[in-house]
Amino acid sequence: MSDNLPPPPPEQPQPSPWAPPAAPPGKQQRTGLIVSLAVGGGLVVAGALVALVYSLLDSVSDSIALPPARSDAPYSGPYDEQPYDEQPYGEDPVEEDPVEEEPEPVVSGPAAERDVTITRCARDSLIGWQHADLTVVNGGRSPAGYVVFVEFLDTKGAVLTDGIATTDDLAPGASVKVKAQGVGEVPTGTTCRVKQVTRDPM
């Protein structure tokens, strides 16, 4: 045996098991053609869709009715209408009752003050508030309502507080007892005085 042996062939790199198989040389050109046709066809379809949408929007905008423009003509008066010859709905006209005037005017002052009498002026011993018991007699010719204003005075005549009493629909000649309550504590010896009376005929 001789020691001169040919050198071993260089090792070829082994393909990775994860790499895709190599394509045959003829298929490379066919794949490029398919991709080019697919992209071109997609562009044609997209262009057709854009043209279709544009034509639909154009036809819809033409079919929408816009409101008419405002007129620059001057304002004209209302139309002359003929009055109805008959009552609507076949109803007879309703005659209104004549308005009756008030038999008496609202009275304020001495004439009305004569209808009110203070029957008692007292101070509440628990809270120190003053009140006046009143009798109201309707001296008028028709039923009336009364509003009575009462003042509560100290020993020097200064007004400490006031109160009010009211009555409604008091018949002529009839009487009623009412109470005017003061607000706030007052000293002993406080007196009561009718300040104003208003008589309002009903």
Side-chain angles (χ1 to χ4, degrees):
M1 283 215 148
S2 85
D3 288 333
N4 284 343
L5 292 174
E11 288 190 21
Q12 297 289 332
Q14 296 294 325
S16 168
W18 308 109
K27 284 197 168 184
Q28 185 79 13
Q29 289 178 347
R30 217 190 268 162
T31 303
L33 178 66
I34 291 172
V35 169
S36 298
L37 289 175
V39 169
L43 290 175
V44 169
V45 169
L49 284 174
V50 168
L52 179 66
V53 168
Y54 178 77
S55 66
L56 285 174
L57 288 177
D58 192 37
S59 66
V60 167
S61 68
D62 289 343
S63 67
I64 295 175
L66 297 175
R70 291 184 94 177
S71 171
D72 291 336
Y75 172 75
S76 61
Y79 296 109
D80 293 332
E81 295 183 4
Q82 298 296 326
Y84 289 112
D85 292 335
E86 58 186 59
Q87 293 295 324
Y89 308 113
E91 296 177 357
D92 294 331
V94 177
E95 292 185 17
E96 295 182 9
D97 294 333
V99 177
E100 295 181 11
E101 293 183 19
E102 292 183 4
E104 291 182 67
V106 174
V107 178
S108 200
E113 288 174 10
R114 285 193 292 266
D115 294 348
V116 179
T117 306
I118 297 174
T119 57
R120 182 171 177 241
C121 183
R123 178 178 179 272
D124 187 293
S125 61
L126 293 176
I127 60 173
W129 290 17
Q130 194 84 4
H131 73 273
D133 292 332
L134 310 169
T135 300
V136 181
V137 179
N138 185 353
R141 299 182 317 254
S142 63
Y146 283 81
V147 179
V148 182
F149 299 92
V150 177
E151 293 178 326
F152 301 102
L153 315 168
D154 65 7
T155 54
K156 297 179 182 177
V159 177
L160 299 172
T161 185
D162 55 10
I164 190 169
T166 61
T167 181
D168 285 332
D169 203 14
L170 188 61
S175 66
V176 66
K177 295 185 183 294
V178 291
K179 180 179 186 178
Q181 179 66 55
V183 178
E185 189 173 352
V186 296
T188 307
T190 300
T191 58
C192 304
R193 175 177 70 190
V194 174
K195 177 184 179 185
Q196 181 183 352
V197 178
T198 302
R199 180 173 63 213
D200 186 12
M202 299 288 173

